[in-house]
Every structure is written in C-alpha cells, then in structure tokens.
Amino acid sequence: MRELVELQKKLQPDVLDVMGQRFRILQYVRLMQPVGRRTLAASLELSERVLRGEVTFLKEQGLLSVTAAGMTLTEEGHTLLEGLEEMIKEAFGLASLEEQVSTILSVPKVIVVSGNSDRHSWVKKEMGRACIQQMKAHLTPDDVVAVAGGTTLASVAEMMTPDPRLTSVTFVPARGGLGEKVEIQSSTISSVMGMKAEANYRLLHVPDQLSEEAHDSLAHEPEIKELLALIRSARVVLHGIGEGKTMAQRRKAKPGIMKELEKKEAVAEAFGYYFDRNGNIVHKERTIGLQLDDLNTNQKVISIAGGASKGEAIWAYMRYRPSDILITDESAAQAVIDHEPPK
C-alpha cells in the first residue's frame, strides 16, 4: 500500500494533501452533523473559500447533503469513509505510529486517530467513536461494562449508538463522584452510555474520596456491596489516564498531598493511583469503586487518552500496567515515541 502511495505522489505530488483534506471534511461532518459551513471551516482551520470549493466537489460526488440545517453525510459518504480508513492510516503514517507505540508500551493493540485533542475537541469524538467500536467488538450478552469519568470518557458516551447486541449489557460507574461537573462524572457517563445503547445501567451515589471510617461503613451497606461486586465483575473496563497535577487539582487535594505529589514527581493518574515517570505508584487515594488490583486477565481493559500533553502520563501509567487496548491521537502517540526514558 505504501509503495502505491509513493508512486502516486510522483505522478501527482499533492494527491495526499487533497485526499487528506477531503477525508478530514467528511470525518468531521460524520462526527458533528448537521454542521454549518462556518463552523466546519473554523474547526478544520480552512478558509471559507477553500471549504466552499471542497464542499461543492463532495456534494457533486454524492458524498455530502447540504440543507438549511447544515451538512450531513450521505449513505455513500459513510460507506466511503469506512472503506478509506485503513488506507488513510497507512498513507499518513498512523499505522506506523500504532506499531511503534504498541512496541514501546507493550500494549497488544493501539489505535491512533489523526489530530491533537488538546487543540480540537472533535478529535476526542473520533477517539470516542473508535472506543465504541472496540468495546462492541468484545461484548457478549449479559456482560458488564465499568466506565470511569472525565472529559474524554464523556466524548465516548456521546458517540454511543443503539445496538441489538447490547440490550442485555449493563453499564456501571467504575468509581464514585469527584464532586466536579456532573456531566463528566462516572455515574453520569455510564448512564448516558446505557441509555444511548438502549441497554441497562446502574448508578453509584457516593463520593469517590472518603475517610477510612466512611469508606468501611459504606462498603458494608448491602446495596453498595452488591453494586461494588457487580463493578468488579465487569468484562470490559473503559478508563482515561490523567496528568498527575491536573487530577490532584480536580480532586481538590489538600496542600500536603499536592506537595507530596510534586516532590515525588507524579505525572500520571488512573483509578485514584498516582505514578511517577518510571511508572511507580507514589500515592493512592482512598476511593470507592474499581481498584487497580481488581483488574484481571479475564477483563478487556481499554485505556483512552489523547493530546500531546498526555504523552508522558500515558507512558508512565503503561509502565505500571499495560492495557489490552490503547486508543489515542496522533499528537499523544508521537509524544510517547519522543519520550526519553529516565536514566
């Protein structure tokens, strides 16, 4: 495939640029439809004049439909996008990035989407779409899916679609609430996924961080105990990877904890555990919900994190426990590859 692309470039040097630009337009419309021309131009950083010409071409090819409500993909447009995805990955080096990151992190399967989610929110949606595809591929009837919180997982929930195979699946929150925006809390995200999938869901109405006394008391409540057992039985676990300092601030960590994390150079967080650059655990919050020790080989653990700013965090966490699947973006993948291991 790569050799064919190189031959095409000799005959038409700009062939990849044109193909990539048109693919990104179709990709964005699929994620955000119906979408207006001005929003599309701003999101893809194209001039309205250039976009107008591309939209006209794509419409004439029967790939886009333009109405007063905005642009949408036609059925032919959807088919074309799906058919081109693997070729685009190969042509633009994303397949190579996947192989390199898989080797570096010892993660069996890595999926890299184009772009940088630090700059463009639509890239998170594309990561979310890829996550949903992987999740659906590994689910069987009556399975349980444990879902963590955060902005990236909220984007995953947005991309969920109904599926007859999921009607008996149950979505559960992987942890309690962090006391932040309700829309990015684990319980909210798992309920949105369950409703959009037309499946089942359960809620965990407790804060994530508790005193030792409160934790022990709640853990023995019959309803909480039953739900925690259900969460730990999850066949698929979806979680993000946070930057250490950012997550400590979100958790409203006390000044003493913040100083400890800074001193120990915590760069990553997942499941309430903080990791240094070598992947060593340097701090653990007392949380209610899924713990790292609960993860086992019978589960399919899918990690999702993107943006160049997450490169070091991904690298550090995976040093401790490589996931089964990592879904990330181009910028984060490159940051992982460029990361210099501590000496």
Side-chain angles (χ1 to χ4, degrees), residues 74-96:
T74 63
E75 187 175 340
E76 190 174 351
H78 278 285
T79 302
L80 179 73
L81 263 186
E82 290 172 5
L84 278 177
E85 279 176 340
E86 290 307 312
M87 191 192 83
I88 289 290
K89 278 195 170 188
E90 184 71 35
F92 287 90
L94 297 180
S96 175

Side-chain angles (χ1 to χ4, degrees), residues 38-176:
R38 185 170 297 176
T39 299
L40 184 56
S43 299
L44 296 178
E45 299 178 348
L46 296 173
S47 71
E48 289 195 48
R49 182 185 62 81
V50 170
L51 182 64
R52 191 180 304 115
E54 295 288 33
V55 167
T56 299
F57 173 83
L58 294 170
K59 183 181 175 183
E60 289 173 349
Q61 296 300 310
L63 305 174
L64 279 184
S65 173
V66 182
T67 66
M71 287 173 273
T72 57
L73 277 191
T74 63
E75 187 175 340
E76 190 174 351
H78 278 285
T79 302
L80 179 73
L81 263 186
E82 290 172 5
L84 278 177
E85 279 176 340
E86 290 307 312
M87 191 192 83
I88 289 290
K89 278 195 170 188
E90 184 71 35
F92 287 90
L94 297 180
S96 175
L97 284 180
E98 290 174 345
E99 291 175 8
Q100 291 179 71
V101 173
S102 174
T103 300
I104 291 169
L105 300 180
S106 299
V107 175
K109 184 165 190 172
V110 175
I111 296 173
V112 176
V113 306
S114 61
N116 180 356
S117 54
D118 283 343
R119 290 184 59 193
H120 303 295
S121 60
W122 66 269
V123 179
K124 279 188 180 181
K125 291 181 182 290
E126 185 61 21
M127 288 166 55
R129 195 183 66 83
C131 184
I132 294 297
Q133 284 183 331
Q134 291 301 312
M135 182 199 70
K136 287 183 176 180
H138 291 93
L139 285 175
T140 56
D142 301 317
D143 278 345
V144 175
V145 181
V147 185
T151 57
T152 304
L153 269 298
S155 293
V156 175
E158 285 185 53
M159 304 312 296
M160 178 62 79
T161 55
D163 192 312
R165 296 172 298 175
L166 303 185
T167 54
S168 64
V169 167
T170 301
F171 291 85
V172 296
R175 65 202 308 172

